[in-house]
Amino acid sequence: MTKMQKEYNLSKNQQIVFDIIEKSNEPVKAYSILFNVKKKGIKAPPQVYRALEKLIKLGKIHKVESKNAFVACKSSNCEISKATAFSICEICEKVTEIANNKLSNFLNSFEDKSGMKYKKYNLEFFGLCKKCKKS
Amino acid sequence: MTKMQKEYNLSKNQQIVFDIIEKSNEPVKAYSILFNVKKKGIKAPPQVYRALEKLIKLGKIHKVESKNAFVACKSSNCEISKATAFSICEICEKVTEIANNKLSNFLNSFEDKSGMKYKKYNLEFFGLCKKCKKS
DNA sequence: TAACAGTATGTAATAATATAACATTTGAAA
DNA sequence: TTTCAAATGTTATATTATTACATACTGTTA
Ligand SMILES: [Zn+2]
Ligand SMILES: [Zn+2]
Ligand SMILES: [Zn+2]
Ligand SMILES: [Zn+2]
């Protein structure tokens, strides 16, 4: 553990995994991460999955459930990951985290007659991105 | 294919798989379905997954992405599955499909500055159900 | 410092979820 | 009755994720 690390609060493996995800411009799958970190000494699935789990808890990354893949959090609001929204293009598969106050306010305050108290949500929108709409 | 079927538009395997899911009061996993239909002659994963895929297309069932499990549609509105919302209890794991016009209207008409046209969404709320809140 | 607790790591094995590929059958329409 | 799309059967394999257990590192406190 040297002072060269970008993030003092991340452990070695957590930082390695986070770097991969953050550099990617598309969601990254766990085994793709595993493949890419073999050269750095991470050899087995649990090492990757444990880092992913911790990074999610910290709100540094999110899991895109419909894709079983992981993206770095861009919104910096979601320090602790409890409310996530993504837009997913059905053609090019581009995934973008949605940061929209109207949306998050609406969902954070949503209540229905079930009597359930919602603390957390995950929303995935599907459609066509600007580019793919044109073509 | 006899006249005894409940749903004329479903094939034999689709009906078998749908019956299992509909009878259950909790989300059902694909391999749990597979196990339960062995006695009816369905022997291999693809038979189950193909039925699931078709049932989803028809809007008869939905996949709860965060659980990799399937529930029958109760709302009867979503004839074609394009807008789904669930509440999931973090303790007892009960999953309920949310039918709420305010919510669906809001999400169906949601637009942001990305220029993306949203045709479909899946929303999963997490929290504590009435029962688990008390205990 | 030494003991301790909590967190992180390494490793092997295996479980759970899902798809590919290909042959065959069925159902309904033309 | 030919024809085509949909559905089925089957084997094998790919992909995603966890269990279990041993070891090591970190910071805190007696
Ligand atoms: Zn975020
Ligand atoms: Zn696109
Ligand atoms: Zn529904
Ligand atoms: Zn509950």
Side-chain angles (χ1 to χ4, degrees):
Chain A
M1 183 86 81
T2 77
K3 291 189 178 178
M4 295 306 293
Q5 277 183 236
K6 286 176 210 154
E7 313 263 352
Y8 286 86
N9 50 336
L10 296 185
S11 74
K12 177 172 134 285
N13 287 1
Q14 289 158 18
Q15 186 67 53
I16 291 170
V17 168
F18 180 66
D19 285 346
I20 299 266
I21 298 172
E22 204 198 18
K23 275 182 209 136
S24 171
N25 55 0
E26 59 187 8
V28 197
K29 305 213 151 216
Y31 275 74
S32 153
I33 295 170
L34 180 56
F35 178 84
N36 280 290
V37 298
K38 285 264 168 80
K39 41 184 164 289
K40 307 218 169 179
I42 295 179
K43 291 173 188 158
Q47 296 173 290
V48 170
Y49 280 99
R50 285 190 294 228
L52 291 171
E53 186 182 26
K54 189 62 189 289
L55 292 166
I56 288 170
K57 257 186 205 141
L58 296 171
K60 312 274 302 173
I61 67 169
H62 304 302
K63 181 171 187 182
V64 183
E65 292 286 355
S66 64
K67 291 190 158 314
N68 295 318
F70 304 86
V71 294
C73 177
K74 295 300 197 305
S75 336
S76 79
N77 312 37
C78 24
E79 278 294 295
I80 299 298
S81 158
K82 63 178 211 316
T84 52
F86 300 98
S87 80
I88 302 173
C89 176
E90 286 178 312
I91 294 182
C92 72
E93 309 224 299
K94 182 163 178 51
V95 173
T96 312
E97 188 168 0
I98 300 176
N100 181 291
N101 285 332
K102 214 176 131 208
L103 178 63
S104 56
N105 289 340
F106 182 89
L107 292 175
N108 278 315
S109 62
F110 178 75
E111 282 182 9
D112 64 1
K113 50 187 183 297
S114 76
M116 185 152 165
K117 172 66 194 149
Y118 301 120
K119 308 185 305 186
K120 215 174 115 182
Y121 64 78
N122 178 60
L123 171 60
E124 298 181 11
F125 276 114
F126 303 87
L128 301 184
C129 74
K130 225 186 226 169
K131 259 190 203 164
C132 294
K133 227 167 23 179
K134 282 185 218 157
S135 57
Chain B
M1 184 85 80
T2 76
K3 293 193 176 174
M4 295 307 293
Q5 278 183 237
K6 287 176 209 153
E7 314 264 349
Y8 287 87
N9 49 335
L10 295 184
S11 74
K12 177 172 135 282
N13 287 1
Q14 288 157 17
Q15 186 67 53
I16 291 170
V17 168
F18 180 66
D19 285 344
I20 300 264
I21 298 172
E22 204 197 17
K23 273 182 211 137
S24 171
N25 55 359
E26 60 188 6
V28 196
K29 306 212 150 219
Y31 275 74
S32 151
I33 295 169
L34 180 56
F35 177 83
N36 280 290
V37 298
K38 285 261 167 83
K39 40 184 163 290
K40 305 219 169 178
I42 296 180
K43 290 174 188 160
Q47 295 173 290
V48 171
Y49 280 99
R50 285 190 294 229
L52 290 171
E53 185 182 27
K54 189 63 190 289
L55 291 167
I56 288 170
K57 258 186 204 139
L58 295 172
K60 312 273 302 173
I61 66 169
H62 305 302
K63 181 172 186 181
V64 182
E65 292 287 353
S66 64
K67 292 190 160 310
N68 295 318
F70 304 85
V71 293
C73 177
K74 296 298 196 308
S75 332
S76 80
N77 313 36
C78 24
E79 277 294 295
I80 298 298
S81 159
K82 63 179 213 311
T84 52
F86 301 98
S87 80
I88 303 173
C89 177
E90 286 178 311
I91 294 183
C92 72
E93 310 224 298
K94 181 163 179 50
V95 174
T96 311
E97 187 168 1
I98 299 175
N100 180 293
N101 286 332
K102 214 177 131 208
L103 178 64
S104 55
N105 289 341
F106 182 89
L107 292 175
N108 278 316
S109 62
F110 178 76
E111 281 182 11
D112 64 0
K113 49 186 185 299
S114 75
M116 185 151 166
K117 173 65 195 150
Y118 301 121
K119 307 185 305 185
K120 214 174 114 182
Y121 64 79
N122 178 59
L123 170 60
E124 297 180 11
F125 276 114
F126 303 88
L128 302 185
C129 74
K130 224 187 229 172
K131 260 190 204 165
C132 294
K133 227 169 22 181
K134 283 184 218 157
S135 56

